[in-house]
Amino acid sequence: MTTMDVPSDEPIPRAKAAPPVVAPALKWVTLALMTTSSVASLRAAPTMAVYGLACVFLYIVPAIVFLLPTALVSAELASGWNGGVYRWVSEGLSKPLGFLAVWCQFAMTIFYYPSLLAYVASTIAYVIDPSLASNGLYTAIVIMVLYWTGVWVSSRGTKAVAGLSSWGLVIGTLIPGTILVVLGLVFLGQGNGSAAPMGAANLFPQWKGIASLVLIVNNFLSYSGMEMNAVHVSSLKNPATEYPKSMFLAMGLVMLIFILPALAISWVVPSDRLSLTAGVMQAFHAFFSYFHVGWLTPIAAVMLVAAALGGMLTWLAGPSKGLLMISREEGYLPPFLQRLNKNGVQQNILVTQGIVTTAIALMYALIPNVSSAYWIFSVITTQVYLIVYLLMFAAAIRLRRTQPDHPRGYRAPALTLLCGVGLVASLAALAIGFVPSSQFGSNSVWAYIMLIGGGLLMLGLVIPGLFLAFRKPSWCNPASAADEGGAG
C-alpha cells in the first residue's frame, strides 16, 4: 500500500518506472451513489410516516449525530487499516473485542432477515390477498420458505444474484420511491387533504413522554452501513477533500430517499391504520385506486420484492464469510462451523443461522400483532449493531492516541469530537430502545424490556463470550483462512 518499505539509499531500479501511475478508478460521485445504494431503502418509510411532517426532523437528527460521525470516522480507519471492523477494533482495543465487533455484525442479521422478510411477506400479500399482511402465520411461513431458499441458492456458490444488488437501488428504491412521491404531489395538487397535518406546528413530534421519540431508534439502523464503503477511500484521487464531499452527497440522497416517500405515505394513509410492514404497499394501493390504475399495484409489489430478495441474497453470505475468515485465523469458532461445502460456501454457519431464524419466524405466528413483532425484531437488530459502533468509535479514539503517525489516507477532522458525539448517540439509542413505542400496544412494559434486553444480552454478549471462553488452539486454521482470503 505504501512506498515506505523501499530503502531511500538504493537507486531506483528501472523496473520501478514500468508500472504507470494508474488514474483513480473511483470518482467521488460514484462512491456517493454506491453508498446511497447500500444504505437507502423504502422499507423504513412506514415507520417514520407515522410521524407525518415530523419525520423530517426525526431523520435529520440521527443523520447529524450518527450518520456523519460514522461516515467520517470509518473513512479514517479504512484508509489506515484494511480488514474492516475486526482489524480496527483489534488494533485499537483488543482481539477479543474485535471478534465481538465482527460477531455483532453477523449476529444482527439473525434478526434483520426476519424483519426484512416480514416486509417482503406483507408486500407479496398485496398481490395475493391484502388481508394476509396482518396474518402472523402467513408471515412466518413466508419468512421460513424464503430464507431457506436463499440458503440453498447461496450454498451452491452462485454468482447470479450479484447483478440484483446493483439494480436494487433503481428497481426497488428509486423508481417506486419516485412514483410514490409524484403520485402524492399530484394527489395533493388536485385539492385533496393530507391524512397527516402538514402545518408548521407539525415540524416537531408532539411530546407525549419519552415514548413519542422511541421510533427514532430505528433510524440508526436505517443509516447503518456507511462504514462498509469506507474501504474505497484510497481509490479516490484526493481522499481528504473528495471523501467528505462524497459522504455529504450520499447523506443528502439517502435523506431524500427516506424522507420524501415517508411523507407521501403519510399524505394518504392515516397513522392509526398504517402497518409498519405493509405501509409502502398501503400507500401504493391507495394512490393507484384513486387514480384508477389499481392493476399497477401487483407490479409495484413485484419490484419491491425483487429488490428486497436481491439484497437478502447478496447479504446472506457476506457477514458470515467475514466471521468465518476471522475464526479460522484465531480459532474463535469450532471446526464444525468453519467447514465449507464443495462450492466453498460456509454452509454450516448458514444452516445454524437458519435454525435460529426459523425459531424467530415462528414468533410472528405467536405474537398477535405483526407490526409489534416487526418492531421488536427491528429494535433488537439495532441494539446488537450499535455494539459495533460503540467499539468502532472507542477504537478510533485510541488509535489516534496510540498510533498518531500510522499512515492514513484520510484524517477525519475533530476526530475525538466526532467519536464523542457518535458514542453518546449510540448509547442514547441503546437506552431509548428499551422504551416501548406505541407499536407495542398495551402489553407489559417489563415484557418488552425482557424481550429486548434478553435478545441483546444473549445474541450480542453471552454467545460470543461462550465462544471465547471455550475456544481451543486446535480450532485455529490459519492456512485455510489464507486460502479463503485469496479466493475472495
Side-chain angles (χ1 to χ4, degrees):
M1 290 291 291
T2 70
T3 58
M4 299 296 291
D5 296 330
V6 179
S8 58
D9 58 342
E10 289 185 7
I12 299 176
R14 188 179 179 192
K16 178 74 174 179
V21 177
V22 180
L26 198 62
K27 296 184 180 298
W28 69 270
V29 174
T30 303
L31 180 59
L33 294 176
M34 288 171 58
T35 303
T36 302
S37 67
S38 66
V39 175
S41 169
L42 295 181
R43 190 168 66 94
T47 304
M48 287 297 108
V50 172
Y51 278 79
L53 188 59
C55 75
V56 178
F57 171 82
L58 295 176
Y59 269 123
I60 289 177
V61 170
I64 294 172
V65 302
F66 181 77
L67 177 60
L68 182 61
T70 298
L72 298 184
V73 171
S74 62
E76 172 166 327
L77 294 173
S79 68
W81 295 268
N82 59 13
V85 69
Y86 172 77
R87 174 83 186 280
W88 306 341
V89 177
S90 295
E91 291 276 348
L93 301 176
S94 69
K95 283 189 175 182
L97 289 177
F99 169 69
L100 176 61
V102 77
W103 166 266
C104 287
Q105 269 194 331
F106 162 75
M108 78 93 180
T109 63
I110 295 176
F111 286 90
Y112 171 74
Y113 290 126
S115 61
L116 171 67
L117 294 177
Y119 160 77
V120 171
S122 64
T123 304
I124 294 173
Y126 271 82
V127 180
I128 306 171
D129 178 4
S131 66
L132 288 173
S134 58
N135 187 304
L137 180 60
Y138 158 79
T139 302
I141 292 172
V142 172
I143 290 173
M144 289 186 286
V145 170
L146 292 180
Y147 179 83
W148 285 108
T149 301
V151 169
W152 179 77
V153 172
S154 297
S155 67
R156 296 176 67 84
T158 180
K159 296 182 180 179
V161 299
L164 287 175
S165 62
S166 61
W167 284 97
L169 179 66
V170 175
I171 296 175
T173 301
L174 290 182
I175 293 177
T178 301
I179 292 173
L180 202 59
V181 173
V182 169
L183 291 179
L185 292 173
V186 173
F187 177 79
L188 295 180
Q190 292 183 347
N192 295 289
S194 170
M198 290 286 133
N202 306 110
L203 281 171
F204 302 98
Q206 294 183 357
W207 182 253
K208 297 180 181 178
I210 195 170
S212 64
L213 293 178
V214 168
L215 284 173
I216 199 173
V217 75
N218 201 46
N219 288 357
F220 285 82
L221 185 63
S222 297
Y223 286 136
S224 66
M226 295 290 284
E227 75 280 2
M228 295 178 187
N229 285 298
V231 298
H232 300 295
V233 67
S234 59
S235 298
L236 297 172
K237 182 178 181 180
N238 188 350
T241 59
E242 291 186 341
Y243 189 82
K245 288 195 298 184
S246 175
M247 288 302 99
F248 281 116
L249 176 58
M251 283 175 60
L253 292 173
V254 167
M255 285 192 287
L256 285 176
I257 291 171
F258 280 150
I259 291 171
L260 295 182
L263 285 175
I265 292 172
S266 72
W267 294 336
V268 72
V269 183
S271 61
D272 59 349
R273 298 210 307 264
L274 185 63
S275 165
L276 295 190
T277 55
V280 177
M281 288 311 303
Q282 283 179 316
F284 273 121
H285 179 71
F287 282 135
F288 289 156
S289 297
Y290 174 81
F291 290 106
H292 307 291
V293 287
W295 55 271
L296 286 175
T297 301
I299 296 176
V302 169
M303 293 172 69
L304 294 173
V305 167
L309 292 180
M312 185 200 78
L313 290 173
T314 302
W315 276 83
L316 191 59
S320 59
K321 184 174 182 179
L323 178 66
L324 172 80
M325 293 176 62
I326 298 306
S327 297
R328 286 189 159 196
E329 282 182 15
E330 303 292 338
Y332 289 131
L333 295 181
F336 171 78
L337 293 177
Q338 295 184 25
R339 289 179 195 150
L340 306 179
N341 65 8
K342 63 180 181 180
N343 296 310
V345 175
Q346 56 281 11
Q347 183 171 299
N348 287 2
I349 291 181
L350 294 178
V351 170
T352 303
Q353 180 184 8
I355 294 171
V356 180
T357 300
T358 299
I360 295 171
L362 292 175
M363 292 184 68
Y364 275 89
L366 300 175
I367 298 177
N369 189 331
V370 171
S371 285
S372 291
Y374 176 84
W375 176 249
I376 289 169
F377 296 139
S378 295
V379 172
I380 292 176
T381 300
T382 303
Q383 302 290 76
V384 172
Y385 209 150
L386 284 170
I387 295 176
V388 178
Y389 291 111
L390 289 172
L391 293 171
M392 185 188 79
F393 289 129
I397 293 174
R398 194 161 187 273
L399 283 169
R400 180 69 77 90
R401 185 182 304 123
T402 60
Q403 301 185 39
D405 299 324
H406 184 88
R408 295 164 170 84
Y410 170 78
R411 297 180 76 90
L415 179 85
T416 302
L417 176 61
L418 285 172
C419 291
V421 171
L423 283 169
V424 171
S426 299
L427 288 171
L430 272 171
I432 205 171
F434 287 97
V435 181
S437 75
S438 58
Q439 300 298 330
F440 192 62
S442 59
N443 297 296
S444 168
V445 173
W446 286 109
Y448 180 87
I449 292 175
M450 292 293 289
L451 281 170
I452 302 300
L456 173 62
L457 288 174
M458 182 59 64
L459 199 60
L461 297 175
V462 174
I463 295 177
L466 290 174
F467 280 129
L468 289 172
F470 291 100
R471 61 188 291 213
K472 300 176 182 178
S474 60
W475 291 4
C476 288
N477 196 352
S480 295
D483 292 342
E484 273 297 293

